[in-house]
Structure formats: C-alpha cells, structure tokens
Amino acid sequence: MALVKPKQYDWKDSNLALFGSDTEKDIKKSSAEKEPAWKKAGLKTGIQIWRIVKFQVIQWPEKDHGKFFDGDSYIILNTYEKEETEHFLYDVHFWIGKYSTSDEYGTAAYKTVELDTYLDDIPIQYREVQGHESKLFRSYFDTITYLHGGAESGFNHVKEDEYKPRLFHFHGDKYGVSVKEVSRKRSNIDSTDVFILDMGAKIFLWYGKGCNKDEKIKGLQYVNSLKDERSGKRTETEILEELTTRNTHKFFKALDQEEEEDFDSSSDFVSAKTEKELYRLSDASGQMTMSLEKTGHMEQNDLKSDDVFILDTQKELFVWIGNSTTYAERKNAITYAHNYLKKTDHPLVPVSCLTEGKTTEAFQTAIAA
C-alpha cells in the first residue's frame, strides 16, 4: 500500500477560527487563571515550553528543549529581568511546525494571547514558523532540532526492533549549524554536510567530504547528547568518512527503504519585494480598513497612538499597537498579522507584536535601516 505524503500546513487558506473578533469578551483574566499550565508560568527567570495536545496545553520537558516536531505546535515563554524594572519581563512565542494542523495553530495562538493576559499584558508576543524563526527565538537554544512527526513518535527508546530510524542533516548557515530530520533517502545525502543515522542502539555519524569543522563538531555533540539521553543502555557509534565508506555499507543499506515515508523538509523562500512597507489599520470609518502608508525609509514618528500599524520588512513582520487603540485591537494583533501575511508571497516570516512604549532590538533595527 502506498504511503500518503503528510499534508503541509496550508497557510493561504487557513484562518484563526479559535480566536478573533470575539477575543475581548472570550479571553478574560478569570478564564486565563483557570488554565492549569499557567500556574507555574513566569515565576522565575528562564525558558518554559508547552506543547499543544488535542486543544490542551502540556508541559514540554526541559531535557527536550530545542527539539520540535514538525507535526506539532508549541508555546515558549522567556522570563527575564532588567535592572530598571521591579518586575519580571516576558517574551511569549508560539511555534508552528510545518505539518501542524490548523486546530493546533489556532489553539497555540489563542493560548498565547491567554498567557499574555495571565501575565498582565506584560509580554511581547511572537509568532514563529519552522525554518524561519526570529533571531531572538534562536538565541534560546544551543541547537534547534526539527523532528518529523508528532511528539508521540518518541525518540528515546533504543530497542532496535521497535525504534524508528531517523536521518538528521547538519548544515551550516548564517544562523550557525541547523539540524533537521530528513527522509531516509540516498538522494538527501549531500557531500558538503554531516548526517547522523540514528537506529536506536546503533548511531552512524557520516562526514561528507566537503563538510566544515563546525558541522563536524555539532554532529559529534549531537551523538553524545543522544547517548546521554539513553544512559544505562548500550548505544554503539560508528564514524564514517565519505571518501573511505563504500556504497554497500550498512549506513547506505538503511536508506531508500520502501516503507520510508517521504516528506518535504525544505523551508526556503524569497519575497519578490525588497522595500519595507508600512500599513495602517483603522476603524475610523466604522469598519476595520488597512491602507499602505509608506514604503522605504521609516521613522518612529510615522507611528500614531490611535491606530495599529504593520511594518513589513519582507523578512520579518512587526505589528505596532498604539496606546489609544481598543483592548480588542491589541488582543487581535496576531490575527491582523496572520491575515495580512497569508495574502503575500512570504507568509512564513517571524511576527512580533509590540504595544507603544515597548521595543525590541529587531524592531529598532528595522526602523533605523
């Protein structure tokens, strides 16, 4: 029987049905306080992560921080302090896997707003999409690893007759060395990079003839982390060099299996536009309208307190909410961004939602550029 290729998230046709124009009445402080997951949220500095499971918010174990399944959605809270403030500050992100369902996406967005409410509207909200995360998000983890499937797939069991083999691709880019699971096919093996074939009780570390030092180091570190996770269980490692490894080696024999599911792990795109664009959202006419205010160079005084503005750099999106806008407008910032982006040729860029008076390094850089 032929395997069905997993459905990639359909960004163009999606909507945020679980929250939207009714946010003002639906998301209240009282309802946020009833969410068990938030009871320990933001009580101390550091990173906390939750995964969306059947509309529920489930804590993601600390040992798995930095690992994300492409079929899931997550909420990430960064709690930190600054000397000039007397209380904690927060960044709250929701992360969307390439094969996450629209229900999971909507729940993650809804619950992110709820967490923001629970923390007294102090957080800055972000939307992150697999393969296109913001610089801030990437800074939380030494390595971000994309695993295929959902979290139920598991990756700590080491019985060879039960373990699902996984092939990981280590590739150096401007962000460092990225790690993602790819389908176990010979066509995915690239001589310029490093690969790990994790069979559970046996791990192959393969060095392409053109790979660099950083990719080698990251690959070896990853092997060691896998072995640490399976402490007490025998795990063998074999290091292979492309120039001295035959095509008949067990490493290659484990590839191109008929039962292997085919999935697309690519995430590249380039916007056709290059200039920054500033849009104004206003309900002065009695209904919400969006108009292009400016292109090219931007200044802080282009932003007015009585409206919501969207700044699109073509590589990142910022939603700026003036202090004189309504509560509903502030709470629907993610919706505005999502609805705008799904009409563009670059719907996967990171999104930041800032209220007037708050700022981030990325936003200041975008304004000044």
Side-chain angles (χ1 to χ4, degrees):
M1 183 176 69
L3 288 167
V4 178
K5 187 174 180 178
K7 185 178 186 299
Q8 184 176 336
Y9 190 88
D10 195 341
W11 295 92
K12 295 294 184 180
D13 296 334
S14 63
N15 61 67
L16 298 182
L18 292 180
F19 86 132
S21 60
D22 291 331
T23 302
E24 183 176 2
K25 66 178 182 180
D26 290 340
I27 300 183
K28 302 291 185 181
K29 180 79 171 181
S30 58
S31 65
E33 289 174 345
K34 293 176 183 176
E35 171 54 64
W38 306 150
K39 297 302 181 184
K40 295 184 179 180
L43 297 181
K44 61 181 181 180
T45 57
I47 302 295
Q48 294 170 276
I49 302 178
W50 298 269
R51 182 174 70 101
I52 303 302
V53 183
K54 298 178 180 178
F55 301 99
Q56 302 299 311
V57 184
I58 307 299
Q59 185 170 2
W60 191 237
E62 187 172 346
K63 69 180 179 64
D64 294 328
H65 283 191
K67 293 178 180 176
F68 298 96
F69 282 91
D70 62 11
D72 289 332
S73 296
Y74 300 79
I75 295 173
I76 298 88
L77 176 67
N78 175 36
T79 303
Y80 62 100
E81 295 178 285
K82 283 188 176 180
E83 291 184 3
E84 62 270 24
T85 59
E86 297 180 355
H87 53 74
F88 285 140
L89 298 174
Y90 311 99
D91 294 309
V92 59
H93 309 246
F94 67 97
W95 183 94
I96 309 303
K98 188 167 186 176
Y99 298 107
S100 178
T101 68
S102 58
D103 284 345
E104 288 170 330
Y105 176 103
T107 302
Y110 178 95
K111 286 294 183 178
T112 296
V113 175
E114 186 181 81
L115 178 56
D116 176 83
T117 301
Y118 181 78
L119 297 173
D120 298 321
D121 299 324
I122 296 173
I124 294 176
Q125 296 177 44
Y126 300 83
R127 186 203 74 168
E128 311 284 352
V129 179
Q130 178 182 341
H132 304 282
E133 296 86 352
S134 64
K135 181 180 177 181
L136 175 64
F137 184 87
R138 289 176 177 271
S139 73
Y140 300 152
F141 311 102
D142 291 334
T143 302
I144 293 178
T145 302
Y146 305 133
L147 296 130
H148 184 55
E152 289 83 357
S153 304
F155 45 91
N156 292 326
H157 305 296
V158 296
K159 291 183 180 179
E160 283 195 275
D161 58 343
E162 296 179 3
Y163 190 85
K164 175 190 174 184
R166 295 180 182 274
L167 180 64
F168 294 97
H169 181 193
F170 293 72
H171 173 69
D173 58 21
K174 62 182 178 181
Y175 299 111
V177 179
S178 62
V179 184
K180 64 182 179 183
E181 183 181 354
V182 296
S183 53
R184 287 185 295 119
K185 295 185 178 297
R186 290 197 186 203
S187 58
N188 281 328
I189 302 298
D190 183 342
S191 293
T192 64
D193 291 326
V194 168
F195 291 81
I196 285 177
L197 178 59
D198 182 5
M199 306 291 288
K202 178 84 175 190
I203 300 173
F204 296 100
L205 175 58
W206 186 89
Y207 294 145
K209 61 185 179 183
C211 71
N212 62 44
K213 179 184 67 174
D214 292 338
E215 291 164 346
K216 283 187 174 182
I217 292 173
K218 186 63 72 174
L220 189 57
Q221 289 175 340
Y222 199 81
V223 167
N224 291 333
S225 70
L226 289 174
K227 294 173 74 171
D228 288 343
E229 289 173 3
R230 300 161 190 175
S231 57
K233 297 180 180 179
R234 187 165 176 255
T235 305
E236 296 181 6
T237 302
E238 184 175 353
I239 297 178
L240 308 172
E241 298 276 356
E242 181 179 8
L243 293 176
T244 57
T245 304
R246 294 180 179 272
N247 287 336
T248 54
H249 191 279
K250 289 181 180 179
F251 172 80
F252 288 104
K253 286 183 177 181
L255 307 178
D256 287 330
Q257 298 295 315
E258 288 185 7
E259 72 275 11
E260 169 66 5
E261 176 188 65
D262 187 21
F263 59 93
D264 179 14
S265 59
S266 64
S267 58
D268 295 333
F269 74 91
V270 178
S271 172
K273 298 179 180 179
T274 57
E275 273 199 319
K276 292 184 295 183
E277 297 176 322
L278 183 67
Y279 294 87
R280 180 198 292 255
L281 287 94
S282 175
D283 58 3
S285 63
Q287 59 182 8
M288 186 63 70
T289 59
M290 185 171 76
S291 58
L292 178 62
E293 289 287 296
K294 198 174 185 182
T295 60
H297 179 70
M298 308 291 169
E299 296 180 356
Q300 189 73 40
N301 61 13
D302 291 325
L303 308 172
K304 310 302 179 184
S305 296
D306 53 353
D307 283 321
V308 175
F309 291 83
I310 290 178
L311 173 60
D312 184 359
T313 71
Q314 312 304 329
K315 295 180 179 179
E316 193 163 358
L317 194 80
F318 301 90
V319 183
W320 187 92
I321 305 103
N323 286 336
S324 298
T325 55
T326 67
Y327 178 83
E329 286 175 325
R330 294 197 299 275
K331 289 301 178 184
N332 283 298
I334 289 287
T335 307
Y336 301 144
H338 176 81
N339 289 339
Y340 165 76
L341 281 172
K342 71 180 184 179
K343 298 174 184 177
T344 72
D345 65 350
H346 55 289
L348 305 181
V349 297
V351 176
S352 306
C353 298
L354 309 114
T355 54
E356 185 175 358
K358 295 180 182 178
T359 191
T360 65
E361 181 182 349
F363 181 70
Q364 291 303 117
T365 299
I367 287 288

